[in-house]
Amino acid sequence: MPRRGRGLRELGIIRDGAVLVRDDRIAAIGPRRRIERSRDTRRAEKLDLGGRVVLPGFVDSHTHLIFPASRAAEYERRISGATYENIAHAGGGIRSTVGQLRRAPAKSLRARALANLREFAAHGTTTIEAKSGYGLDWKSELKSLTLVCELHQEQPVDIASTFLGAHVVPPEYRKRPKAYIELLVRRWIPTVATAGLAEFCDVFCDRGAFTVAQARRILAAGRACGLVPRIHAEQLAHTGAARLAIEMQAASADHLEKIDSRDIRALSLSNVVCTMLPGCCFHLGLAHFGPARKLIDAGAIVALATDFNPGTSPTLSMPMILSLACAQMHLTPAEAISAAIINPAYSLRRHDRVGSLEVGKYADLAAFDVDDYREIPYYFGVNLCNLTMKRGAIVHSKLCRPHN
């Protein structure tokens, strides 16, 4: 179950602990001496982590993994005073990445994504969500979704696939958005669902993207085909998208910087995960971060994610996201850790397999070169992850080899 309120602070710390892994699952967990006395451990290969802090692997529930290049030139323009929306109106932003992705060969997209997945693992992340949405024509959206599915099978980090055909209206449909929505609802969404190319359907419901009414139609079409709703909500303007997330029983409402007290109350009474994306606010140089503290105090389900993307949050470091959540959103380190692990697992419908160290769950672990878990966000911008294990296999390590 997800953590709410004070429950976010309960980490269940085991001092001088041990984990027994059998195949890809956790077979036992507890104090080291008790685990070592177990008959099952006599022939086990031992890995001494030297007293390091061990967490479940991070679950990053909002990423845009497949993209062709950075948007560093736009970054420089924003530093000089241009806003996100100024850049978008001038043909930059999401639409500039769309043009590049349409021209990019799948081979180059795959190579970039693989390199980034290795970096996710190196920072302690073992499960991510990945969205399409930088193609916005059928050929390019299919290219992105196919790559996500192939990458899920070919490398160790688990990837949950989301169809974000409703990222923005593509240039060729700018003067006839209704026709694009019809295309999404009647052709693309049913095809994506039937082919098993995605688990979730997402919409960017905000000023300059899709209206609440348009998003409702798209998400309803996805849900009718078996795709679970997710929604980019209330990032740029207060539109009513958070209430739509509740209405549609969305798995997650992401961003939420512009919600008000009534939205917070409504979200706290729902099972919608409120996914905070502080990396985006930080990179855009915004003073106002999402109201994570108010949401937690109200009893809402709060998660943290990177929003890894080339324009507004080019980070894949969950430890950095913890630092921002603590410093800018006033979460405690324990709250930030829970919001980066168990609650995003719930939003991805994987909380029965990942998100905590429990018998029967996948052996997804991340070890950090610190003496105290609070030092993970404390040392901001520093990657202290020494070892990452995914389903019982070491996928990143700065340590010596295991010994018997």
Side-chain angles (χ1 to χ4, degrees):
M1 294 297 291
R3 300 285 181 90
R4 299 178 186 255
R6 292 182 180 274
L8 278 172
R9 300 189 181 197
E10 298 171 6
L11 295 182
I13 295 171
I14 302 172
R15 300 194 182 279
D16 192 22
V19 179
L20 177 64
V21 176
R22 183 179 297 115
D23 298 324
D24 60 355
R25 305 276 176 161
I26 296 173
I29 184 169
R32 178 178 56 83
R33 289 185 179 181
R34 177 170 64 81
I35 299 299
E36 286 182 339
R37 286 197 299 265
S38 169
R39 181 178 300 176
D40 292 336
T41 64
R42 291 177 183 174
R43 295 184 179 181
E45 187 177 51
K46 294 181 176 64
L47 178 64
D48 185 356
L49 295 177
R52 291 175 172 85
V53 170
V54 176
L55 302 178
F58 291 122
V59 179
D60 191 346
S61 58
H62 185 130
T63 85
H64 300 259
L65 176 67
I66 307 297
F67 62 86
S70 80
R71 299 212 299 263
E74 293 179 10
Y75 177 60
E76 187 174 42
R77 287 179 62 191
R78 283 201 304 272
I79 292 169
S80 300
T83 68
Y84 174 79
E85 290 172 292
N86 292 153
I87 292 168
H89 289 152
I94 294 168
R95 290 186 177 92
S96 69
T97 299
V98 167
Q100 291 176 314
L101 187 138
R102 288 179 177 183
R103 297 188 297 271
K107 183 178 179 180
S108 67
L109 294 172
R110 177 192 297 274
R112 177 179 285 270
L114 277 170
N116 287 329
L117 286 163
R118 286 191 290 270
E119 286 300 310
F120 274 111
H123 285 78
T125 297
T126 52
T127 300
I128 71 166
E129 178 259 18
K131 306 177 191 295
S132 69
Y134 285 136
L136 304 185
D137 62 21
W138 177 243
K139 179 181 178 181
S140 303
E141 286 294 294
L142 179 62
K143 177 168 62 176
S144 296
L145 291 170
T146 300
L147 273 174
V148 167
C149 293
E150 290 173 353
L151 289 165
H152 173 65
Q153 298 294 329
E154 293 171 8
Q155 54 75 57
V157 175
D158 278 333
I159 309 175
S161 178
T162 296
F163 177 54
L164 182 57
H167 203 177
V168 293
V169 177
E172 57 268 30
Y173 285 91
R174 187 174 295 182
K175 294 183 178 180
R176 46 195 188 103
K178 289 182 180 179
Y180 184 64
I181 293 166
E182 287 297 311
L183 186 64
L184 286 171
V185 168
R186 296 187 181 278
R187 293 180 58 187
W188 292 7
I189 288 173
T191 303
V192 166
T194 301
L197 291 170
E199 301 174 52
F200 301 95
C201 181
D202 199 344
V203 177
F204 185 12
C205 180
D206 217 321
R207 184 175 64 211
F210 293 86
T211 67
V212 168
Q214 291 169 336
R216 178 183 289 110
R217 183 140 190 263
I218 294 164
L219 293 176
R223 191 169 65 180
C225 293
L227 301 181
V228 179
R230 308 182 79 82
I231 186 167
H232 286 60
E234 323 277 16
Q235 179 188 10
L236 305 173
H238 186 257
T239 62
R243 298 301 184 99
L244 177 63
I246 298 168
E247 174 192 332
M248 298 300 299
Q249 299 179 318
S252 182
D254 301 23
H255 285 292
L256 302 177
E257 288 89 350
K258 301 296 185 181
I259 58 175
D260 60 24
S261 59
R262 289 175 294 181
D263 297 326
I264 290 172
R265 172 67 175 166
L267 286 163
S268 74
L269 298 173
S270 78
N271 288 321
V272 176
V273 177
C274 303
T275 301
M276 303 283 101
L277 306 170
C280 185
C281 299
F282 173 77
H283 192 69
L284 291 174
L286 304 179
H288 179 69
F289 285 66
R293 180 76 268 155
K294 291 181 179 179
L295 284 162
I296 290 171
D297 292 343
I301 307 169
V302 172
L304 293 170
T306 62
D307 192 12
F308 176 60
N309 75 79
T312 61
S313 188
T315 183
L316 36 66
S317 171
M318 284 296 279
M320 182 63 187
I321 297 302
L322 298 188
S323 298
L324 292 173
C326 293
Q328 301 296 330
M329 294 175 156
H330 309 294
L331 274 66
T332 67
E335 289 172 331
I337 286 170
S338 295
I341 298 174
I342 186 61
N343 284 357
Y346 178 80
S347 89
L348 294 180
R349 305 299 191 251
R350 283 162 166 73
H351 52 289
D352 60 333
R353 289 163 276 172
V354 301
S356 59
L357 301 182
E358 297 181 67
V359 172
K361 288 192 174 184
Y362 287 137
D364 291 1
L365 315 173
F368 293 84
D369 194 16
V370 296
D371 297 319
D372 186 312
Y373 72 87
R374 292 170 293 192
E375 292 178 319
I376 298 171
Y378 172 79
Y379 290 108
F380 68 90
V382 181
N383 182 18
L384 295 169
C385 182
N386 262 284
L387 179 139
T388 306
M389 179 179 288
K390 178 64 188 178
R391 298 197 189 191
I394 295 172
V395 296
H396 161 74
S397 179
K398 297 178 183 177
L399 304 174
C400 60
R401 292 180 178 275
H403 61 274
N404 290 324

